[in-house]
Amino acid sequence: MASYAVNGAAVEHVRALIDARQYVLDSEWGEVQPDAEAQNAYLERHPWEEYGAWHLGLTEGAADDTKARYAFAVGDFRRVHRSALIACVFRASQWRHKDVELAAHDLLQHLDATSG
């Protein structure tokens, strides 16, 4: 099983998006999560650093500047999705990636407090 470190840059990015009210409160993450085509299109216009800022996990041992390096997506490359944060909490908890789980949980709490 892969190991993940928390992507601190992503945590900061997501917190800033929440503070700027760039979020979606009601969505089905499985339906709106960017697919491979959308990810590739984003990477054509943005550097890996910006792509990574949408993922709370960094896969330990994976090469930089590869999709395999990034895990636990939290948005659609425009806005944070509450359903994505919930999915991150669930998946990280399920696979015992405690640091990622806690980071996602903290961001979810921040979103809920901000959105009222």
Side-chain angles (χ1 to χ4, degrees), residues 11 14-15 18 56 85 102-111:
V11 171
V14 170
R15 185 171 289 279
I18 292 169
L56 293 182
L85 289 171
L102 293 174
H105 178 268
D106 288 347
L107 289 166
L108 179 60
Q109 297 306 305
H110 182 60
L111 174 60

Side-chain angles (χ1 to χ4, degrees), residues 4-6 96-104:
Y4 301 95
V6 172
R96 298 183 180 165
H97 302 302
K98 191 54 121 179
D99 291 341
V100 174
E101 174 193 349
L102 293 174

Side-chain angles (χ1 to χ4, degrees), residues 3-4 17-19 24 26 31-32 44 56 61 75 81 84 88 93 104 113 115:
S3 294
Y4 301 95
L17 288 169
I18 292 169
D19 291 343
V24 176
D26 188 23
E31 295 176 14
V32 298
E44 287 177 10
L56 293 182
H81 283 252
C88 287
S93 175
S115 65

Side-chain angles (χ1 to χ4, degrees), residues 10 33 37 39 104 115:
Q33 181 177 9
E37 183 178 335
Q39 293 173 33
S115 65

